[in-house]
Amino acid sequence: MRGVLRREWQGVAVAAWRELRSRGAAGVALAVGGTLAMLVLHGLEQIPDPDRVVRMLGEVRADQPLWQSLLRTPLSVFIPTRDQPPWGGIPRLVLAFGLAQLLVGWRRTLLVAYGATLAGTLGARVMIAIGPGHWAGVPASYAHDVDTGASAAVVGLFTYLAVRLRAPVLCLAFVVPTVVGSLLNPNLAGREHLVAVALVAGVAAVRQGRGGLAGSG
């Protein structure tokens, strides 16, 4: 156990700190940009006319045409949950995007964040189509619920880092609580989180396995 913790400390905390010292603020540009975007969007949500624009450009629901949801998904990553202030989610967003950009690069960070969000969005449509008569289905009324927003991207990034870097502490601190909360409160958002975690973990495990095979060869 001590060796596992030491390896995670070296591979995550120390490696990220070295990258930050080397690259400076540019190394966490996605975290800074995402935080500013979330704060600006939260401020616009408090004003009636701009709020309508934000909802028109970034609010994703399963009762929309698919093409419309796909166009809105990139912005939805940074829209805070409406029934909760953004302050609780910002530290997680900063840490997730910051660590990911420093450790796996900005391109992969954006790809994982968008992929996790898209997985939840499409998964919601599948669950609604299945219906409440099956364990994997949900009531049709869930189609009017707003998408998870930034939370699916954040938990997706933590999942990817935990698997790729073999970081159990990162998993226990940021992935397991989300999974447990989603299981205890199985609403649409919770199920979207589970879909995002499962997909990202599977992709990361496959990449990890290929990397291991390449290294052994």
Side-chain angles (χ1 to χ4, degrees):
M1 178 61 71
R2 190 173 299 176
V4 171
L5 295 177
R6 185 184 302 113
R7 184 171 61 248
E8 179 169 353
W9 174 257
Q10 293 290 334
V12 178
V14 175
W17 175 245
R18 287 173 179 166
E19 287 292 323
L20 183 60
R21 290 185 62 185
S22 173
R23 297 159 60 185
V28 290
L30 291 179
V32 174
T35 300
L36 293 176
M38 182 173 286
L39 291 174
V40 169
L41 291 169
H42 174 69
L44 293 176
E45 286 179 341
Q46 312 310 309
I47 309 171
D49 288 338
D51 177 53
R52 284 193 286 271
V53 176
V54 170
R55 285 190 282 111
M56 182 180 68
L57 296 177
E59 190 173 271
V60 175
R61 301 186 311 274
D63 59 0
Q64 299 167 343
L66 179 59
W67 65 266
Q68 192 175 87
S69 293
L70 294 177
L71 287 177
R72 294 181 178 187
T73 298
L75 184 61
S76 75
V77 172
F78 300 107
I79 294 181
T81 305
R82 290 184 175 272
D83 57 354
Q84 296 178 355
W87 321 117
I90 284 179
R92 289 169 55 88
L93 182 142
V94 170
L95 189 60
F97 276 85
L99 281 178
Q101 185 177 356
L102 291 170
L103 296 174
V104 300
W106 68 268
R107 290 184 181 86
R108 194 169 299 175
T109 298
L110 289 178
L111 183 62
V112 172
Y114 181 73
T117 303
L118 190 60
T121 297
L122 297 179
R125 290 176 175 267
V126 172
M127 289 183 281
I128 291 168
I130 293 174
H134 190 274
W135 66 268
V138 296
S141 59
Y142 281 20
H144 308 301
D145 292 351
V146 179
D147 199 57
T148 59
S151 58
V154 167
V155 73
L157 287 172
F158 280 129
T159 301
Y160 187 84
L161 292 175
V163 175
R164 287 286 287 160
L165 303 178
R166 298 179 181 177
V169 174
L170 204 64
C171 181
L172 288 173
F174 297 104
V175 180
V176 172
T178 299
V179 171
V180 171
S182 299
L183 292 173
L184 294 178
N185 186 24
N187 54 19
L188 184 62
R191 293 192 176 212
E192 288 184 46
H193 289 146
L194 295 177
V195 171
V197 168
L199 178 67
V200 172
V203 171
V206 169
R207 291 186 61 87
Q208 184 71 21
R210 289 178 176 175
L213 289 176
S216 63

